[in-house]
Amino acid sequence: MNSGKTFRHGQILRLVSGERITNQEDLRRRLAQQRLRVTQATLSRDLQELKLVKTPDGYKPAAVLPEEAAPLPPLARALSEFLLDIRPAENLLVLKTPPSGAQPLAAAADAAKFPEVAGTIAGDDTVLIITPDKKSRESLQRKIETLLGRSPRSRL
């Protein structure tokens, strides 16, 4: 790890342990006040590498959470944090996010390595997941909805 990244990680840990930081934009702004300019994608990776999880009280290290609150898998966490809507279209699955939410959600979806996924494309607020056929898209959509804690839709 390079010294800039090490320093940035230290500043992130200092901020989240000393203040209530409830979202990535708030953390990005506080880092910018310290002349640490980071992109949302870099910040998302940093949070994952530092094993920080979002709680009702802000970001906390996973180690300080109560035992019963096991951290979510990265995709489930990204879905709960960024996903606004799922829109199926034949063999495509369109995931809508807030601005700047598509990149971290697409990265988490890619990391999940679903066999149904042929590829993903992320813009600013939209992730396009391409599957080989409609049946694969339906299977993937059911898996995503299950991760969200929703019952899969009867009409796909």
Side-chain angles (χ1 to χ4, degrees):
M1 189 176 344
N2 68 38
S3 61
K5 184 175 182 179
T6 303
F7 179 74
R8 186 176 67 246
H9 278 194
Q11 293 304 305
I12 291 170
L13 289 171
R14 185 184 61 73
L15 284 168
V16 300
S17 65
E19 305 174 38
R20 183 171 187 250
I21 308 233
T22 58
N23 59 51
Q24 289 185 15
E25 181 58 25
D26 187 23
L27 181 56
R28 190 194 61 73
R29 267 187 257 124
R30 292 182 194 212
L31 288 169
Q33 290 171 351
Q34 298 175 11
R35 294 194 169 90
L36 286 171
R37 306 228 183 270
V38 294
T39 65
Q40 193 279 324
T42 298
L43 192 53
S44 186
R45 275 191 303 275
D46 287 344
L47 291 170
Q48 190 171 10
E49 289 170 6
L50 293 168
K51 294 182 177 33
L52 294 174
V53 293
K54 193 171 186 178
T55 72
D57 297 321
Y59 285 101
K60 301 287 179 205
V64 301
L65 294 177
E67 291 292 322
E68 64 273 7
L72 294 171
L75 179 57
R77 189 170 116 202
L79 288 166
S80 68
E81 188 169 337
F82 297 108
L83 186 65
L84 298 176
D85 192 23
I86 300 174
R87 299 177 187 170
E90 292 300 320
N91 69 313
L92 307 173
L93 200 55
V94 179
L95 307 179
K96 297 300 288 179
T97 73
S100 301
Q103 294 292 329
L105 183 55
D110 284 341
K113 299 193 184 313
F114 287 116
E116 298 91 344
V117 176
T120 58
I121 300 171
D124 181 51
D125 64 356
T126 304
V127 177
L128 175 65
I129 301 178
I130 304 151
T131 63
D133 52 44
K134 185 177 179 182
K135 185 176 178 182
S136 297
R137 191 266 306 150
E138 290 170 344
S139 172
L140 178 63
Q141 185 173 353
R142 280 191 299 274
K143 288 178 181 180
I144 288 173
E145 288 173 342
T146 299
L147 281 171
L148 286 167
R150 297 179 189 166
S151 57
R153 295 178 181 155
S154 54
R155 59 163 189 81
L156 292 175

